[in-house]
Short mmCIF file of all heavy atoms in Angstrom, two decimals:
data_model
loop_
_atom_site.label_atom_id
_atom_site.label_comp_id
_atom_site.label_asym_id
_atom_site.label_seq_id
_atom_site.Cartn_x
_atom_site.Cartn_y
_atom_site.Cartn_z
N ASP A 1 0.86 -1.21 -0.02
CA ASP A 1 0.02 0.00 -0.03
C ASP A 1 0.86 1.27 -0.01
O ASP A 1 1.63 1.51 0.93
CB ASP A 1 -0.93 -0.01 1.26
CG ASP A 1 -1.81 1.19 1.28
OD1 ASP A 1 -1.84 1.98 0.31
OD2 ASP A 1 -2.47 1.39 2.35
N LEU A 2 0.87 2.01 -1.08
CA LEU A 2 1.74 3.20 -1.20
C LEU A 2 0.91 4.48 -0.97
O LEU A 2 1.38 5.59 -1.21
CB LEU A 2 2.28 3.27 -2.59
CG LEU A 2 3.29 2.15 -2.94
CD1 LEU A 2 3.76 2.29 -4.36
CD2 LEU A 2 4.42 2.01 -1.98
N SER A 3 -0.32 4.39 -0.53
CA SER A 3 -1.16 5.54 -0.37
C SER A 3 -0.63 6.47 0.69
O SER A 3 0.05 6.04 1.64
CB SER A 3 -2.64 5.10 -0.03
OG SER A 3 -2.63 4.47 1.20
N ILE A 4 -0.85 7.74 0.47
CA ILE A 4 -0.34 8.78 1.40
C ILE A 4 -1.36 9.75 1.79
O ILE A 4 -2.45 9.88 1.15
CB ILE A 4 0.85 9.49 0.80
CG1 ILE A 4 0.53 10.32 -0.44
CG2 ILE A 4 2.05 8.62 0.51
CD1 ILE A 4 1.49 11.36 -0.83
N ASP A 5 -1.14 10.48 2.82
CA ASP A 5 -1.92 11.60 3.25
C ASP A 5 -0.91 12.71 3.43
O ASP A 5 -0.03 12.73 4.40
CB ASP A 5 -2.62 11.25 4.59
CG ASP A 5 -3.49 12.47 5.03
OD1 ASP A 5 -3.09 13.59 4.95
OD2 ASP A 5 -4.65 12.20 5.47
N PHE A 6 -0.94 13.73 2.63
CA PHE A 6 -0.08 14.83 2.69
C PHE A 6 -0.86 16.10 2.95
O PHE A 6 -1.63 16.52 2.08
CB PHE A 6 0.78 14.97 1.38
CG PHE A 6 1.59 16.25 1.31
CD1 PHE A 6 2.70 16.37 2.09
CD2 PHE A 6 1.28 17.32 0.52
CE1 PHE A 6 3.55 17.55 2.07
CE2 PHE A 6 1.94 18.43 0.42
CZ PHE A 6 3.11 18.61 1.27
N ALA A 7 -0.69 16.66 4.11
CA ALA A 7 -1.44 17.90 4.46
C ALA A 7 -3.00 17.71 4.33
O ALA A 7 -3.69 18.62 4.01
CB ALA A 7 -0.95 19.08 3.62
N GLY A 8 -3.36 16.48 4.61
CA GLY A 8 -4.80 16.13 4.51
C GLY A 8 -5.32 15.79 3.12
O GLY A 8 -6.50 15.63 2.89
N ILE A 9 -4.38 15.73 2.19
CA ILE A 9 -4.68 15.38 0.79
C ILE A 9 -4.22 13.90 0.60
O ILE A 9 -3.08 13.57 0.75
CB ILE A 9 -3.93 16.28 -0.22
CG1 ILE A 9 -4.28 17.70 0.13
CG2 ILE A 9 -4.25 15.89 -1.62
CD1 ILE A 9 -3.39 18.74 -0.64
N ARG A 10 -5.16 13.07 0.22
CA ARG A 10 -4.94 11.65 0.04
C ARG A 10 -4.65 11.38 -1.43
O ARG A 10 -5.24 11.98 -2.30
CB ARG A 10 -6.08 10.82 0.52
CG ARG A 10 -6.26 10.96 2.04
CD ARG A 10 -6.90 9.78 2.76
NE ARG A 10 -6.56 8.45 2.30
CZ ARG A 10 -5.43 7.80 2.80
NH1 ARG A 10 -4.59 8.38 3.62
NH2 ARG A 10 -5.17 6.59 2.39
N SER A 11 -3.75 10.39 -1.70
CA SER A 11 -3.54 9.95 -3.01
C SER A 11 -3.09 8.47 -2.92
O SER A 11 -2.51 8.02 -1.90
CB SER A 11 -2.54 10.78 -3.79
OG SER A 11 -1.25 10.59 -3.34
N PRO A 12 -3.20 7.70 -4.07
CA PRO A 12 -2.86 6.29 -4.00
C PRO A 12 -1.36 6.03 -3.86
O PRO A 12 -0.94 4.92 -3.58
CB PRO A 12 -3.43 5.72 -5.26
CG PRO A 12 -3.58 6.91 -6.18
CD PRO A 12 -3.81 8.06 -5.26
N ASN A 13 -0.56 7.02 -4.25
CA ASN A 13 0.90 6.88 -4.10
C ASN A 13 1.58 8.24 -4.01
O ASN A 13 0.89 9.21 -4.29
CB ASN A 13 1.50 6.05 -5.23
CG ASN A 13 1.30 6.78 -6.61
OD1 ASN A 13 1.79 7.84 -6.82
ND2 ASN A 13 0.62 6.09 -7.50
N PRO A 14 2.77 8.32 -3.62
CA PRO A 14 3.49 9.59 -3.36
C PRO A 14 4.06 10.20 -4.65
O PRO A 14 4.80 11.22 -4.55
CB PRO A 14 4.59 9.27 -2.42
CG PRO A 14 4.93 7.86 -2.70
CD PRO A 14 3.70 7.24 -3.13
N PHE A 15 3.80 9.62 -5.77
CA PHE A 15 4.42 10.10 -7.01
C PHE A 15 3.50 11.14 -7.68
O PHE A 15 2.52 10.77 -8.26
CB PHE A 15 4.73 8.92 -7.95
CG PHE A 15 5.63 7.89 -7.29
CD1 PHE A 15 5.05 6.77 -6.83
CD2 PHE A 15 6.94 8.21 -7.14
CE1 PHE A 15 5.91 5.80 -6.21
CE2 PHE A 15 7.77 7.25 -6.53
CZ PHE A 15 7.23 6.03 -5.97
N TRP A 16 3.89 12.38 -7.61
CA TRP A 16 3.09 13.56 -8.10
C TRP A 16 3.89 14.28 -9.15
O TRP A 16 5.10 14.52 -8.96
CB TRP A 16 2.73 14.45 -6.98
CG TRP A 16 1.76 13.95 -5.92
CD1 TRP A 16 1.35 12.63 -5.74
CD2 TRP A 16 1.18 14.69 -4.89
NE1 TRP A 16 0.55 12.59 -4.63
CE2 TRP A 16 0.39 13.84 -4.11
CE3 TRP A 16 1.11 16.08 -4.55
CZ2 TRP A 16 -0.35 14.25 -3.04
CZ3 TRP A 16 0.49 16.42 -3.44
CH2 TRP A 16 -0.28 15.53 -2.70
N LEU A 17 3.24 14.77 -10.16
CA LEU A 17 3.91 15.71 -11.08
C LEU A 17 3.84 17.14 -10.47
O LEU A 17 2.90 17.55 -9.94
CB LEU A 17 3.13 15.76 -12.38
CG LEU A 17 3.22 14.42 -13.27
CD1 LEU A 17 2.23 14.46 -14.37
CD2 LEU A 17 4.63 14.22 -13.73
N ALA A 18 4.93 17.82 -10.68
CA ALA A 18 5.06 19.22 -10.21
C ALA A 18 4.38 20.16 -11.22
O ALA A 18 4.16 19.75 -12.33
CB ALA A 18 6.47 19.62 -9.98
N SER A 19 4.09 21.32 -10.76
CA SER A 19 3.56 22.39 -11.59
C SER A 19 4.63 22.77 -12.65
O SER A 19 5.68 23.30 -12.37
CB SER A 19 3.19 23.60 -10.74
OG SER A 19 2.84 24.70 -11.54
N ALA A 20 4.29 22.47 -13.91
CA ALA A 20 5.32 22.61 -14.98
C ALA A 20 4.56 22.31 -16.33
O ALA A 20 3.40 22.00 -16.36
CB ALA A 20 6.49 21.65 -14.78
N PRO A 21 5.29 22.48 -17.45
CA PRO A 21 4.62 22.24 -18.79
C PRO A 21 3.86 20.93 -18.88
O PRO A 21 2.78 20.80 -19.46
CB PRO A 21 5.80 22.34 -19.75
CG PRO A 21 6.72 23.32 -19.12
CD PRO A 21 6.63 23.05 -17.62
N PRO A 22 4.38 19.79 -18.22
CA PRO A 22 3.59 18.51 -18.34
C PRO A 22 2.28 18.50 -17.61
O PRO A 22 1.55 17.62 -17.68
CB PRO A 22 4.56 17.47 -17.69
CG PRO A 22 5.92 18.08 -17.78
CD PRO A 22 5.69 19.56 -17.67
N THR A 23 1.95 19.61 -16.78
CA THR A 23 0.68 19.63 -16.15
C THR A 23 -0.16 20.85 -16.55
O THR A 23 -0.97 21.40 -15.86
CB THR A 23 0.85 19.69 -14.58
OG1 THR A 23 1.59 20.87 -14.26
CG2 THR A 23 1.58 18.47 -14.10
N ASN A 24 -0.03 21.15 -17.83
CA ASN A 24 -0.60 22.43 -18.43
C ASN A 24 -2.01 22.17 -18.93
O ASN A 24 -2.73 23.13 -19.29
CB ASN A 24 0.32 22.99 -19.50
CG ASN A 24 -0.19 24.37 -19.90
OD1 ASN A 24 -0.61 25.17 -19.06
ND2 ASN A 24 -0.10 24.69 -21.18
N SER A 25 -2.48 20.90 -18.97
CA SER A 25 -3.85 20.66 -19.47
C SER A 25 -4.42 19.40 -18.82
O SER A 25 -3.73 18.51 -18.28
CB SER A 25 -3.82 20.50 -20.99
OG SER A 25 -3.21 19.27 -21.36
N GLY A 26 -5.75 19.33 -18.94
CA GLY A 26 -6.43 18.17 -18.49
C GLY A 26 -6.03 16.92 -19.20
O GLY A 26 -5.89 15.83 -18.59
N ALA A 27 -5.75 17.02 -20.54
CA ALA A 27 -5.33 15.84 -21.27
C ALA A 27 -4.04 15.30 -20.77
O ALA A 27 -3.84 14.04 -20.67
CB ALA A 27 -5.29 16.20 -22.78
N GLN A 28 -3.09 16.19 -20.47
CA GLN A 28 -1.80 15.74 -19.98
C GLN A 28 -1.93 15.02 -18.65
O GLN A 28 -1.30 13.96 -18.37
CB GLN A 28 -0.88 16.90 -19.90
CG GLN A 28 -0.42 17.51 -21.25
CD GLN A 28 0.28 18.79 -21.08
OE1 GLN A 28 -0.34 19.75 -20.70
NE2 GLN A 28 1.51 18.78 -21.35
N ILE A 29 -2.63 15.65 -17.75
CA ILE A 29 -2.83 15.04 -16.39
C ILE A 29 -3.63 13.79 -16.48
O ILE A 29 -3.37 12.79 -15.80
CB ILE A 29 -3.44 16.10 -15.41
CG1 ILE A 29 -2.37 17.24 -15.22
CG2 ILE A 29 -3.82 15.46 -14.11
CD1 ILE A 29 -2.86 18.39 -14.40
N HIS A 30 -4.68 13.77 -17.33
CA HIS A 30 -5.43 12.50 -17.45
C HIS A 30 -4.49 11.37 -17.90
O HIS A 30 -4.57 10.24 -17.36
CB HIS A 30 -6.58 12.73 -18.50
CG HIS A 30 -7.40 11.53 -18.79
ND1 HIS A 30 -8.33 11.07 -17.89
CD2 HIS A 30 -7.41 10.59 -19.76
CE1 HIS A 30 -8.94 10.01 -18.33
NE2 HIS A 30 -8.39 9.73 -19.49
N ARG A 31 -3.59 11.63 -18.88
CA ARG A 31 -2.72 10.64 -19.34
C ARG A 31 -1.77 10.18 -18.18
O ARG A 31 -1.44 9.03 -18.06
CB ARG A 31 -1.88 11.18 -20.50
CG ARG A 31 -1.09 10.15 -21.29
CD ARG A 31 -0.43 10.65 -22.52
NE ARG A 31 -1.34 11.43 -23.35
CZ ARG A 31 -1.20 12.71 -23.62
NH1 ARG A 31 -0.11 13.38 -23.17
NH2 ARG A 31 -2.06 13.37 -24.36
N ALA A 32 -1.29 11.17 -17.46
CA ALA A 32 -0.41 10.81 -16.35
C ALA A 32 -1.09 9.88 -15.35
O ALA A 32 -0.53 8.87 -14.80
CB ALA A 32 0.06 12.09 -15.63
N PHE A 33 -2.31 10.19 -15.02
CA PHE A 33 -3.11 9.35 -14.05
C PHE A 33 -3.37 7.94 -14.63
O PHE A 33 -3.33 7.01 -13.95
CB PHE A 33 -4.35 10.02 -13.67
CG PHE A 33 -4.15 11.25 -12.77
CD1 PHE A 33 -5.30 12.07 -12.49
CD2 PHE A 33 -3.08 11.52 -12.19
CE1 PHE A 33 -5.12 13.15 -11.67
CE2 PHE A 33 -2.82 12.63 -11.32
CZ PHE A 33 -4.00 13.42 -11.10
N GLU A 34 -3.57 7.90 -15.99
CA GLU A 34 -3.73 6.55 -16.61
C GLU A 34 -2.44 5.74 -16.41
O GLU A 34 -2.56 4.49 -16.22
CB GLU A 34 -3.97 6.70 -18.04
CG GLU A 34 -5.44 7.15 -18.36
CD GLU A 34 -5.68 7.23 -19.88
OE1 GLU A 34 -4.79 7.63 -20.61
OE2 GLU A 34 -6.83 6.93 -20.28
N TYR A 35 -1.35 6.35 -16.39
CA TYR A 35 -0.05 5.67 -16.24
C TYR A 35 0.29 5.46 -14.72
O TYR A 35 1.42 4.95 -14.45
CB TYR A 35 1.07 6.41 -16.97
CG TYR A 35 1.06 6.12 -18.48
CD1 TYR A 35 0.47 7.05 -19.38
CD2 TYR A 35 1.56 4.96 -18.98
CE1 TYR A 35 0.43 6.82 -20.69
CE2 TYR A 35 1.47 4.63 -20.34
CZ TYR A 35 0.93 5.56 -21.18
OH TYR A 35 0.85 5.29 -22.52
#
């Protein structure tokens, strides 16, 4: 189980994309979440 709670924010794992060109659209983030 890799799920985390960071500052009250839950996610299934600690691998998050930072604010940058790869997070500039819903399509990009949707693809990242699919992976």
Side-chain angles (χ1 to χ4, degrees):
D1 179 8
L2 298 178
S3 63
I4 64 164
D5 182 319
F6 173 72
I9 302 166
R10 295 203 45 80
S11 75
N13 64 59
F15 304 103
W16 294 9
L17 291 171
S19 172
T23 62
N24 192 37
S25 73
Q28 291 169 291
I29 293 175
H30 181 75
R31 192 172 314 117
F33 288 170
E34 285 181 326
Y35 282 100

